[in-house]
Amino acid sequence: MTFVLLLLGTIGAFAAIQTASHISGDADGEAFAVFDIHQRYAWLTFWMAGITTAVRFMSLRWSSVIWANCLIVILLISLSVAVCITGHHGA
């Protein structure tokens, strides 16, 4: 179930990046700077989600390896932080 949710989240992140990558032309310089930070974190979130999904897929084959589960937990926590920062700059 974790793998399926990660895969759907990664696809959703890519779709969000591709469909909402613009800002109004009459925005001031500060808005463009915040949007640039938001867009950078959005790409970081997408790549982290992709890596986490790949590691989770590989760990399905290595169910007896405890370090794979620890790595996935660390990646998921990092991914959650990246999503929070992206959302903060996007709101």
Side-chain angles (χ1 to χ4, degrees):
M1 189 59 151
T2 307
F3 172 71
V4 172
L5 292 175
L6 278 168
L7 184 63
L8 291 174
T10 304
I11 292 168
F14 183 73
I17 290 170
Q18 293 302 313
T19 59
S21 61
H22 64 282
I23 189 170
S24 176
D26 60 348
D28 61 355
E30 271 186 45
F32 281 106
V34 171
F35 181 75
D36 186 47
I37 293 169
H38 171 73
Q39 194 170 24
R40 286 182 190 180
Y41 274 102
W43 278 109
L44 175 69
T45 301
F46 167 71
W47 285 110
M48 285 179 62
I51 291 168
T52 306
T53 303
V55 169
R56 179 62 185 143
F57 178 74
M58 288 185 290
S59 74
L60 292 173
R61 306 289 185 243
W62 310 324
S63 59
S64 63
V65 179
I66 190 71
W67 64 265
N69 290 331
C70 293
L71 178 62
I72 290 169
V73 168
I74 292 168
L75 287 170
L76 287 173
I77 291 169
S78 302
L79 183 58
S80 298
V81 170
V83 167
C84 289
I85 293 171
T86 303
H88 174 72
H89 285 94

